[in-house]
Amino acid sequence: MGQRDLEAALPAGADPRRHARVLAQVHEAALTGKALPSRPRAVIGASWQRMRRLGMDPDSRAAAPVLTFEELETRRRTSGLVAALPTLRGGLISLAEQAAHIMVIVDAGGKVLWRDGSAAVRRHADGLGFVEGVDWREEAVGTNAIGTALVARRPVQMYAAEHYVRSHHSWTCAAVPLHDPRDGRLLGVVDLSGPASTVHATTLALVDAVTRLAESQLRTTHLTELERLRGFAVPVLAKVGGRAVVADEHGWVAAAAGLAPVDRIALPTGFAPGRVWLPAYGNCAVEPVPGGWLIRPTDPTDDDAAPPTQVVLDVRSSREPRLTVSSASGTWTHRLSPRHAEMLYVLASRRDGRSASELSFDLFGDAGRTVTVRAEMSRLRRHFGGILGAKPYRFADDVEVLVRRPPAPEVVLPHSLAPAIRG
């Protein structure tokens, strides 16, 4: 696993109380329009800007919406987080109790699903409405580690007056996003929260390590399931004959015959049996099998009369960029990572194509990061080989491309095309 961006809320060697006073001065100046004695961290400043645009009241103690018991149980079952609970609890609850913290797990929608740890801190949290079933997104309770981590999609530690709402200034929190290793989907956020006096620079690294361990164990479980599907797929492919592949419900390939090997196929949202167009193979016939799909490429029919393939890159939401492809065989939509959305945005804007060095400069302002660019483009072309070309990297000439942009600069766009406030 690669290194993560872990920025502690308390600078190395800083006195916590003195730093809390500085943060309070910065917070007050930011709210009153006075000159800032120092700048807040970038992730905090970006969140405060969002709060001002929302008209969030820093003195508000209005209760955030809370789920009913039945709604909470349903969200727990469907969150995809249940399998990660033993690892998260085993790694964090004992520490939370000893360090006067609580462990909090929220889903991708910001709802608190589980809360455990120090009884005294839980009672304190009750007074803030920080309870199971509550909505803890920025939009509901202001700048906070959980809600801001959901927006920034990165680990966030927050301390004292970095919180936008003043009633939260007595807290410190460290939150880390947890993703489904099968498809990269954000499942939720894991958090340790406690009194501001318990702030420690290593807390975020600890939560991050345990969260990554949980993701690793989810990945191991998935590989076991894929191996089980492989045992079923091999005899099925031998019986079917011809070109075919068996993949699980997330597109991970268990076995293939007569086709170039790939690790994963990009499947559309709402994938179902029948005839479908897939970027990796073109027109395909799809049949369900236990634990996945049997996919067989078919010969295109009436290509001369078929309308051109249309690609819609939707970057209106920085949280959920999507790629939609429409062809003679139908329409499908695939969720993109922010990085892949940026790369496709560049290619949509530069239809004549980009070399690896040009694309590196577009994305990072540095033409030398070609290794990263080639690796990411290789992943993209494995998924979308039917619509993407190489040498230079580009959308295929026979593909119509439409980009749907946001009305306001909320989406992080590539360096050379649309500089934007990141966060």
Side-chain angles (χ1 to χ4, degrees), residues 15 222 244 304 320-321:
D15 176 80
H222 174 238
D304 293 338
E320 292 190 349

Side-chain angles (χ1 to χ4, degrees), residues 339-351 353-378 380-381 388-395 413-417 422:
R339 174 61 69 213
H340 285 173
E342 285 186 323
M343 299 181 86
L344 292 176
Y345 182 91
V346 172
L347 299 183
S349 303
R350 309 293 180 97
R351 287 304 301 271
R354 306 298 278 169
S355 67
S357 60
E358 289 172 333
L359 195 49
S360 175
F361 181 79
D362 291 332
L363 295 167
F364 308 112
D366 177 0
R369 299 180 63 176
T370 56
V371 173
T372 299
V373 166
R374 290 192 178 100
E376 292 295 341
M377 282 303 306
S378 178
L380 272 173
R381 295 191 69 244
L388 291 177
K391 297 183 180 179
Y393 297 122
R394 68 195 185 282
F395 277 102
L413 296 176
H415 175 273
S416 67
L417 296 176
R422 292 183 178 266

Side-chain angles (χ1 to χ4, degrees), residues 286-370:
V286 178
E287 302 173 38
V289 296
W293 305 100
L294 172 64
I295 301 170
R296 292 182 290 174
T298 60
D299 293 329
T301 58
D302 197 20
D303 274 347
D304 293 338
T309 298
Q310 184 182 71
V311 172
V312 177
L313 177 61
D314 191 340
V315 293
R316 289 176 295 181
S317 169
S318 59
R319 300 188 188 188
E320 292 190 349
R322 295 175 180 272
L323 186 74
T324 299
V325 178
S326 301
S327 70
S329 299
T331 299
W332 64 267
T333 298
H334 184 76
R335 186 187 295 110
L336 298 167
S337 70
R339 174 61 69 213
H340 285 173
E342 285 186 323
M343 299 181 86
L344 292 176
Y345 182 91
V346 172
L347 299 183
S349 303
R350 309 293 180 97
R351 287 304 301 271
D352 55 337
R354 306 298 278 169
S355 67
S357 60
E358 289 172 333
L359 195 49
S360 175
F361 181 79
D362 291 332
L363 295 167
F364 308 112
D366 177 0
R369 299 180 63 176
T370 56

Side-chain angles (χ1 to χ4, degrees), residues 103-155:
M103 181 195 76
V104 180
I105 301 174
V106 308
D107 64 15
K111 296 295 192 298
V112 175
L113 301 186
W114 292 278
R115 193 193 68 163
D116 211 333
S118 166
V121 178
R122 274 185 282 148
R123 288 193 294 272
H124 186 191
D126 290 343
L128 282 179
F130 192 17
V131 297
E132 291 179 342
V134 74
D135 183 352
W136 216 248
R137 294 174 301 157
E138 286 188 336
E139 297 93 321
V141 296
T143 300
N144 70 92
I146 290 172
T148 303
L150 284 170
V151 175
R153 300 298 177 96
R154 52 170 273 196

Side-chain angles (χ1 to χ4, degrees), residues 13-25:
D15 176 80
R17 292 184 179 179
R18 184 177 296 115
H19 189 59
R21 288 194 293 271
V22 171
L23 291 176
Q25 294 169 1

Side-chain angles (χ1 to χ4, degrees), residues 49-72:
Q49 289 181 21
R50 290 192 291 271
M51 297 307 96
R52 287 196 290 271
R53 288 198 297 267
L54 287 172
M56 174 72 65
D57 182 356
D59 293 308
S60 172
R61 292 183 61 93
V66 179
L67 300 173
T68 66
F69 177 79
E70 292 77 13
E71 291 171 335
L72 176 60

Side-chain angles (χ1 to χ4, degrees), residues 257-270:
L259 294 167
V262 296
D263 294 329
R264 188 181 178 203
I265 304 167
L267 301 181
T269 302

